[in-house]
Amino acid sequence: MNEFPATYLNFNQDFTCVALGLKTGYKIVNVEQKFGRCCSYKDDCINIIEMLYTTSLIAITPLGNEIGSSPRELKIKNTKTNSTICSLFFPTSILNIKLTNEYLIVVLESQLYIYEIKTMKLLQTVKTNSNPLGLCTVSYDANNCLLAYPSPPSATETLSNLHNSHQNKSNANKSTTNAVSNKGDLIIFNINKFLPIMAISAHKNDIAAMSFSSDGSLIATASDKGTIVRVFDTNTGVKLFQFRRGSYPTKIYSLSFSNDNKYVLATSSSLTVHIFRLGEEEALENKQKKKIKTIEEEPETGRDGEEDDSDDMDDNMEVDDEDEGEAEIPTKQRKLSQSSSNSFNSVNSEDTSAPVVDQNRLSVARLIRRSSQTLGRKAAQKMGDYLPSRFSSILEPTRHFASIKIDAKNKDLKSIAMINNMSTAQESLSVNQGEGNTSDHLLHVNVVTSEGILYMYGLDQERGGDCILLNQYNLLDE
């Protein structure tokens, strides 16, 4: 990432600002729809920067390229005075930092440090599995302050005792308690009680990204294959949603929920942003209820009575593209927009059920894939009723609701994304279109890349499909 201007990208907790780590310091920009205020600061080459909402308190870690700087050093700074409040050194390089109103969490490769933010008193040290990516996510609800991290090697005995006391819970919850030592498992930790409360067997492979919803009720995960995104209930550990991002392995850079928990966004090295809808139709429970049992099904359990959630099985049996950000194709033919700049014609077209398609993203390969997917989906619909659900779900997986293709050539380009609330999206669209004729069902999606570019897209929440580029800004401009 050092070849790009921004060495680190991070939204604050309420997604109103973005912090950019730079080779010469850092910059904080307000990315709300009225878009304006920004602050730049000279400092060492930044490795990590974490804001605390819109306060003047930030935590940074230098990359360690300059003489006297170290990636093991954590600085708590006041941006109003550009002064250092305190500085801490750790045994190994700092890989991640999380701030809440009450706590500071510092992530090293094999342990976490939890501090009280007001006094900087060390409250607890937590051992983790080997965590070279510094994976960690925090929920910011004061009443449900949760922390998630990769499962430690010694978690089996501790969590088995914890879950033995909850044997009266549903059978679905039992699937999260077995095989705790798998590398794709994660631990959910209650920070207020300083107690691990649950182990979730999320993937067969190493976890590459994870994120809590803002209220901590849901957690989204993706493995290092980058083909499957799953959403779990943090109260029960039950898997609620499973989405196929694609069949070709890719690196997931970030996962994030919308504030209303209706969408999950995933950015990846394929230069796409996939938007998954958490609706009733997509819920696994409802999909299973809709299945028509025309013949007796085979058992869906593996050797230990668990549902087979293997990413490998899905990858080997599914044929899909998804690296081009393809949206699910309905039986009706899609309307095509003339270009990204006037794609609102497609948004406001008569066929209000057809997903939006951006003509600039059309290609022969995409058309061929669309035809093959349509044929495969029709076959799945015909055959699905006669197959066990574990196979029919592979033939006809839940794909993303909408997508964005970032206009860049370097696949090492990193990106983060978020969805704004409804009211500000409408206001922004009226400004960008310059017309009074706006669509009430368009949401606003912000994507920030390591080139320092902020892209603003419009998402049709009724039709989905291709998000339309509304505007873009260079955040590094003075």
Side-chain angles (χ1 to χ4, degrees):
M1 192 170 181
N2 291 338
E3 60 193 271
F4 297 108
T7 58
Y8 194 80
L9 305 169
N10 195 12
F11 287 113
N12 67 342
Q13 291 81 356
D14 57 10
F15 296 109
T16 56
C17 297
V18 63
L20 295 89
L22 307 173
K23 296 179 181 179
T24 57
Y26 55 94
K27 190 170 187 176
I28 297 172
V29 182
N30 185 315
V31 292
E32 288 185 298
Q33 303 316 318
K34 294 182 180 179
F35 191 72
R37 185 181 176 187
C38 63
C39 304
S40 298
Y41 303 90
K42 295 293 183 180
D43 210 304
D44 296 331
C45 180
I46 300 299
N47 185 34
I48 302 170
I49 179 170
E50 174 80 355
M51 298 179 64
L52 181 60
Y53 293 93
T54 55
T55 69
S56 60
L57 187 70
I58 65 167
I60 63 172
T61 296
L63 195 60
N65 292 338
E66 296 87 354
I67 297 177
S69 68
S70 170
R72 298 187 295 109
E73 182 183 12
L74 171 71
K75 297 179 182 179
I76 305 295
K77 303 198 72 171
N78 185 329
T79 57
K80 286 186 177 179
T81 60
N82 197 23
S83 60
T84 300
I85 299 173
C86 69
S87 180
L88 300 173
F89 280 86
F90 293 87
T92 59
S93 296
I94 298 170
L95 302 179
N96 203 349
I97 305 169
K98 295 294 180 183
L99 281 172
T100 74
N101 285 324
E102 302 292 333
Y103 304 104
L104 162 69
I105 296 96
V106 181
V107 184
L108 308 185
E109 184 171 354
S110 59
Q111 53 190 338
L112 306 171
Y113 291 83
I114 303 176
Y115 291 86
E116 184 181 36
I117 193 66
K118 293 181 179 179
T119 63
M120 291 304 295
K121 176 184 177 182
L122 178 62
L123 301 177
Q124 189 163 351
T125 303
V126 181
K127 291 185 178 180
T128 68
N129 204 347
S130 178
N131 186 16
L133 298 178
L135 293 177
C136 172
T137 183
V138 176
S139 67
Y140 301 107
D141 190 303
N143 298 321
N144 192 27
C145 192
L146 301 177
L147 167 70
Y149 54 88
S151 172
S154 59
T156 306
E157 182 178 354
T158 303
L159 285 165
S160 62
N161 295 333
L162 175 65
H163 289 295
N164 283 339
S165 62
H166 297 81
Q167 290 180 350
N168 57 341
K169 288 191 175 181
S170 64
N171 291 333
N173 192 32
K174 291 182 181 178
S175 65
T176 67
T177 67
N178 297 327
V180 178
S181 59
N182 284 347
K183 54 186 179 180
D185 295 353
L186 61 89
I187 301 296
I188 295 182
F189 186 94
N190 188 311
I191 306 181
N192 292 330
K193 298 179 180 179
F194 299 102
L195 180 69
I197 59 175
M198 185 181 299
I200 295 179
S201 185
H203 299 273
K204 300 296 182 183
N205 301 309
D206 288 324
I207 297 175
M210 63 176 80
S211 178
F212 279 114
S213 59
S214 58
D215 60 1
S217 63
L218 302 173
I219 185 169
T221 65
S223 74
D224 58 5
K225 280 197 169 186
T227 55
I228 298 293
V229 174
R230 294 183 173 125
V231 178
F232 298 87
D233 186 325
T234 58
N235 293 317
T236 63
V238 173
K239 182 175 65 176
L240 302 179
F241 300 90
Q242 176 168 300
F243 302 97
R244 170 162 290 284
R245 189 217 59 83
S247 23
Y248 298 109
T250 191
K251 185 174 183 179
I252 301 294
Y253 288 137
S254 71
L255 292 172
S256 65
F257 284 85
S258 60
N259 286 331
D260 56 8
N261 292 351
K262 291 183 178 180
Y263 301 95
V264 170
L265 289 78
T267 65
S268 69
S269 60
S270 62
L271 299 179
T272 54
V273 180
H274 293 83
I275 302 171
F276 306 101
R277 184 173 59 182
L278 307 183
E280 293 183 0
E281 294 182 2
E282 292 81 8
L284 292 176
E285 181 181 3
N286 292 334
K287 291 185 71 173
Q288 292 171 359
K289 287 180 180 179
K290 289 181 179 180
K291 181 174 175 60
I292 303 174
K293 297 183 179 179
T294 57
I295 61 174
E296 184 177 355
E297 292 189 351
E298 297 177 9
E300 298 184 42
T301 57
R303 296 178 182 177
D304 298 327
E306 297 180 12
E307 181 184 354
D308 193 339
D309 288 338
S310 172
D311 298 74
D312 295 329
M313 169 173 280
D314 289 339
D315 292 340
N316 293 334
M317 299 189 69
E318 172 67 17
V319 178
D320 190 16
D321 67 304
E322 290 302 339
D323 283 335
E324 289 294 328
E326 201 67 33
E328 187 169 347
I329 308 297
T331 54
K332 293 184 178 181
Q333 182 65 35
R334 289 179 168 184
K335 297 280 186 177
L336 299 181
S337 58
Q338 294 181 354
S339 68
S340 287
S341 60
N342 64 356
S343 289
F344 293 102
N345 295 332
S346 177
V347 173
N348 295 316
S349 63
E350 295 180 0
D351 188 357
T352 58
S353 63
V356 180
V357 174
D358 185 357
Q359 189 178 12
N360 287 353
R361 291 178 59 184
L362 290 180
S363 65
V364 175
R366 200 178 188 204
L367 292 173
I368 294 174
R369 284 192 295 268
R370 184 182 306 171
S371 299
S372 64
Q373 286 178 7
T374 302
L375 291 174
R377 191 166 294 109
K378 289 180 178 179
Q381 291 171 350
K382 295 290 184 181
M383 299 170 58
D385 294 338
Y386 300 93
L387 292 172
S389 59
R390 68 183 289 191
F391 292 105
S392 60
S393 63
I394 293 172
L395 289 173
E396 193 177 7
T398 303
R399 294 184 175 86
H400 61 268
F401 173 69
S403 67
I404 292 169
K405 186 66 176 180
I406 300 173
D407 186 17
K409 296 181 179 179
N410 194 330
K411 287 199 172 185
D412 292 329
L413 183 77
K414 292 188 177 181
S415 59
I416 56 177
M418 52 79 70
I419 290 183
N420 271 323
N421 62 50
M422 187 64 159
S423 59
T424 41
Q426 293 175 357
E427 178 182 349
S428 175
L429 287 174
S430 62
V431 172
N432 282 288
Q433 292 185 68
E435 301 175 1
N437 182 22
T438 63
S439 178
D440 291 339
H441 49 262
L442 283 170
L443 295 178
H444 211 242
V445 182
N446 287 348
V447 181
V448 182
T449 71
S450 51
E451 291 179 325
I453 305 296
L454 167 65
Y455 298 92
M456 293 183 175
Y457 290 88
L459 164 65
D460 191 313
Q461 64 175 339
E462 293 181 1
R463 296 167 58 186
D466 295 340
C467 295
I468 306 304
L469 179 62
L470 305 176
N471 216 329
Q472 67 183 65
Y473 302 90
N474 189 336
L475 300 181
L476 302 181
D477 288 344
E478 296 296 335

